[in-house]
């Protein structure tokens, strides 16, 4: 029972570490996202959602570097092209979720003031973050299989049966009879 409890406790601690690292990278991404969003909104005449999409793309690029080289650096690193394609795909879905909230608030309800835009941008980021956490850890940055000792890796029942060896004779072989030519 203590082994199972230790295993569950170990898994919970691992998940807490993962959430903390994801949160650190995501927190930086939120600052980048909101900073670029407000910079674009105050220096250009772009519409709210367009400015938000640009800010989200900049944050996605920042986050990939943080996730690959900090939060998930201990994960499998083979298939970088596949990883980047999945990251881009799931990030695009997150972008739609995030900016869908802002779009609905701005054009659906007419809440387009600076404070309302930032509040709904933040709500959209939070909603998309839940999806991104699940998708990145499940599909993009897959966990490596646990390392086990070779003897413990295969149960005894699954090992092949030993091949029987012929018994050794203790008495010498009889002399062959001479051939009649």
């Amino acid at each position: 029972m203590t082994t199972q409890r230790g295993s569950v406790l170990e898994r919970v601690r691992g998940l807490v570490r993962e959430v903390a690292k994801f949160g650190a990278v995501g927190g930086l991404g939120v600052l980048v996202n909101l900073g670029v969003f407000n910079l674009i909104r105050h220096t250009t005449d772009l519409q709210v959602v367009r400015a938000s999409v640009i800010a989200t793309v900049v944050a996605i690029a920042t986050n990939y570097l943080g996730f690959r080289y900090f939060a998930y650096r201990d994960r499998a690193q083979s298939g970088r092209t596949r990883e980047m394609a999945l990251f881009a795909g799931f990030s695009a879905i997150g972008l739609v979720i995030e900016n869908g909230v802002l779009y609905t608030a701005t054009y659906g309800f007419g809440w387009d003031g600076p404070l309302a835009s930032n509040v709904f941008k933040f709500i959209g980021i939070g909603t998309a973050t839940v999806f991104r956490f699940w998708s990145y850890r499940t599909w993009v940055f897959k966990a490596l299989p646990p390392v086990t000792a070779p003897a413990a890796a295969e149960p005894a029942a699954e090992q092949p049966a030993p091949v029987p060896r012929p018994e050794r004779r203790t008495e010498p072989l009889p002399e062959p009879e001479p051939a009649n030519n």
Side-chain angles (χ1 to χ4, degrees):
M1 183 83 175
T2 57
T3 327
Q4 186 179 10
R5 183 175 294 164
S7 175
V8 169
L9 185 58
E10 189 176 304
R11 289 180 67 190
V12 168
R13 285 181 180 158
L15 183 61
V16 167
R17 280 191 301 272
E18 182 180 351
V19 168
K21 288 179 179 181
F22 189 92
V25 172
L28 177 62
V30 168
L31 292 177
V32 168
N33 199 332
L34 291 173
V36 171
F37 173 68
N38 283 297
L39 180 68
I40 291 171
R41 288 280 291 149
H42 290 37
T43 60
T44 69
D45 291 332
L46 276 178
Q47 295 175 339
V48 176
V49 177
R50 288 183 186 170
S52 179
V53 168
I54 292 169
T56 303
V57 169
V58 172
I60 286 170
T62 304
N63 286 351
Y64 178 77
L65 296 173
F67 289 136
R68 169 42 51 216
Y69 298 108
F70 174 67
Y72 293 117
R73 69 176 175 245
D74 59 338
R75 301 290 177 103
Q77 293 192 20
S78 60
R80 191 63 55 99
T81 303
R82 176 186 173 278
E83 175 184 286
M84 287 179 147
L86 286 171
F87 185 85
F90 287 120
S91 294
I93 294 169
L95 182 144
V96 170
I97 294 169
E98 174 183 329
N99 291 292
V101 171
L102 183 61
Y103 181 89
T104 302
T106 303
Y107 299 110
F109 297 108
W111 298 327
D112 61 350
L115 179 62
S117 293
N118 278 290
V119 167
F120 287 103
K121 172 93 173 139
F122 191 76
I123 291 171
I125 290 171
T127 305
T129 296
V130 174
F131 168 76
R132 287 179 178 133
F133 178 73
W134 169 81
S135 63
Y136 293 166
R137 77 183 305 260
T138 304
W139 299 102
V140 181
F141 303 106
K142 289 186 169 192
L144 294 169
V147 178
T148 57
E154 295 181 31
E158 293 183 19
Q159 292 181 355
V163 176
R165 297 181 182 226
E167 294 182 23
R168 289 191 155 190
R169 293 186 165 185
T170 54
E171 50 191 62
L173 291 173
E175 292 285 325
E177 293 188 26
N180 292 335
N181 295 3

